Amino acid sequence: MSDADETKSDFIRDIIANDLATGKHQSIITRFPPEPNGYLHIGHAKSICLNFGIALENRGVGAKCHLRFDDTNPSKEEVEYVESIREDVKWLGFEWDALHFASDYFEFYFDCAISLIEKGLAYVDEQTHEQMRETRGNLNVPGTPSPWRERPTSENLDLFRRMRAGEFPDGAMVLRAKIDLASSNMNLRDPVVYRIMRAHHHNTGDAWCIYPMYDYAHPLEDALEHITHSLCTLEFENHRPLYDWVIENCPVPAKPRQIEFARLNLTYTVMSKRKLLQLVKEGLVSGWDDPRIPTISGLRRRGYPAEAIRNFCKRIGITKFNGTTSVDLLEFEVRSYLNREAPRRMAVLHPLKVVLENVAADERVDAEVQEHPERTEWGTRRLSHGREIWIEQDDFLEDPPKKFYRLGPGRHVRLRGGDIMKCLSFGKNADGHVTEVRCELLKGTAGANAPEGVECRAAIHWVDAATGHDAEVRLYDRLFLVENPDDQEEGFLSALNPDSLSILKAKIEPDLATMEAGAFCQFERTGYFVADAKDHLPGQKAVFNRSVGLKDSWAKAVK
Ligand code: ATP
Ligand code: MG
């Protein structure tokens, strides 16, 4: 990928460069290890760009990145998630060098547990959950040993094998590592490494009724795959001593190193899979690909290009400091990508009819618009209109202030790519809303300066009424009203924005009706839009999502 070259260094890349320079490693293997219990979100994109990015940057020494499904907890995992994760990683522009499932290593985790027991480093504990919690102590008080802590090895081996064989009910006992009950790191106070849980696993079916804990299984997965640098988020910093303990005490083929970095948080949204799942399950959004949530599939449906997301990840960089990144920065990257790459089209979101009084009912008037203001190589597009056209309601003001350069009684404005028109009169309905504007077209002024004495300082977009199509346009706003919904006292749902979606009946130029689903463009003067991946049916039904707005200098001035 060309854009990977410009990546600036960070403390993780520095460590890796150093490990290569000193000969500690001849090559590098990283991994991205999602748990298939939800769809990927933009926080995962940060981790994906980091892990796959490092492998790409070190291709010269044969560096690799694995995609590994961390599927050791069958209670929350589903095949649907496995599929979506593969698709999202590919869509982001990355290819894994190997694909693994942590559940393929169940036998290995079991063997390692046996070896821990044989070394006197693990025991079967029959205390209840509550008893274990009560005897864990706290920062000032060491834990109290379980009555089972000093069981003979042979008894531990026997019980653990029988746990596997299904002789005991769920929760009857656990296998605990025997580490240090007085440790200031609570994770080292004899952590549970195996529990009994009768749950169907998507990969191993009902073969197992005991499952390993994350902190125990993860280092073993990394070691088996010869991962050199196991990159994870800061919450795991406290777990690193346990990670290292497992590596130190199990018969592993390699010694991976865990390094933590700050997770991505974004303003005006939530990122945890649990909260995203709740939004989906409770029908507060339309699904995992709702364009208002920060899942990769939601952002894709919103029309955010993969390259813009990668550029965003590059811009925020990798640090050890937790913080919250402004969603404006993500939108900035999307806007700058689309500004460069999106062809321009015309669509009227809040239509107001204009009747051109001097255009005959069967007459056609030509216009020619640029595909892109800077990409002159893209050329121009021919359009035409008849006697009736649509313009935006707010491009007409009954009583415009001086600085408003668009349409008002007696004023002139240019139709983008076409002639200038002059407002002659307008009609209103009983509520006082303007329903129609009547204009005179200054024929022959297309592509030419305004005639002497005519003041025309703006061009507005328009859609021909006869050939234009109807379209559903979805405008998305922030899903939450506050910057940090996670901090809401009454829970994050109390900050939901009730107006996060508005659906408009718009008018679009003919070209847009046949555009492919998923294709993006700029609607001139209104924003960047994407033809909806699911509901837009070329030639049959037009549905567009707003990806991101343009900056409107007029709206700012009004504020
Ligand atoms: P969540 O907390 O959103 O439920 P998770 O950490 O449980 O996510 P995993 O599937 O375990 O999700 O994550 C896979 C990888 O992605 C992990 O290495 C994890 O550290 C990383 N990751 C998850 N969320 C973020 C984030 N917000 N920023 C950066 N990396 C993240
Ligand atoms: Mg996790």
Side-chain angles (χ1 to χ4, degrees), residues 57 69 220 293 313 390 544 546:
E57 292 153 29
F69 289 99
L220 297 177
I293 55 175
C313 291
W390 301 104
F544 286 87
R546 183 171 65 193

Side-chain angles (χ1 to χ4, degrees), residues 161-219:
R161 290 200 171 106
R162 286 164 62 196
M163 275 169 65
R164 176 180 181 169
E167 287 189 29
F168 310 111
D170 287 13
M173 52 189 76
V174 294
L175 184 72
R176 288 177 80 174
K178 193 173 182 179
I179 308 180
D180 180 4
L181 289 173
S183 176
S184 58
N185 185 331
M186 299 302 279
N187 295 312
L188 294 182
R189 294 192 181 182
D190 290 10
V192 173
V193 296
Y194 262 97
R195 63 206 192 283
I196 306 175
M197 181 167 71
R198 285 171 177 77
H200 188 81
H201 191 280
H202 75 96
N203 182 20
T204 55
D206 298 314
W208 292 86
C209 66
I210 57 171
Y211 288 96
M213 302 302 286
Y214 179 88
D215 280 345
Y216 167 72
H218 202 83

Side-chain angles (χ1 to χ4, degrees), residues 95-153:
E95 280 172 46
W96 44 89
D97 297 291
L99 178 68
H100 294 292
F101 288 85
S103 57
D104 286 339
Y105 313 144
F106 278 147
E107 207 67 53
F108 179 69
Y109 313 137
F110 181 81
D111 292 345
C112 287
I114 295 285
S115 88
L116 286 177
I117 295 171
E118 283 169 345
K119 290 183 197 163
L121 293 176
Y123 59 97
V124 172
D125 194 350
E126 290 173 59
Q127 292 184 108
T128 62
H129 251 305
E130 283 70 53
Q131 285 170 324
M132 277 193 280
R133 213 184 35 232
E134 282 160 15
T135 55
R136 250 181 117 215
N138 56 43
L139 284 182
N140 305 310
V141 181
T144 323
S146 159
W148 316 107
R149 198 172 194 258
E150 304 304 331
R151 266 191 216 279
T153 299

Side-chain angles (χ1 to χ4, degrees), residues 30 33 65 77 127 144 330 359 373 393 407 432 439 462 470 481-482:
T30 56
C65 181
E77 295 159 3
Q127 292 184 108
T144 323
L330 176 60
V359 174
Q393 284 166 18
L407 210 53
C439 290
W462 52 275
D470 291 326
L481 294 166
V482 299

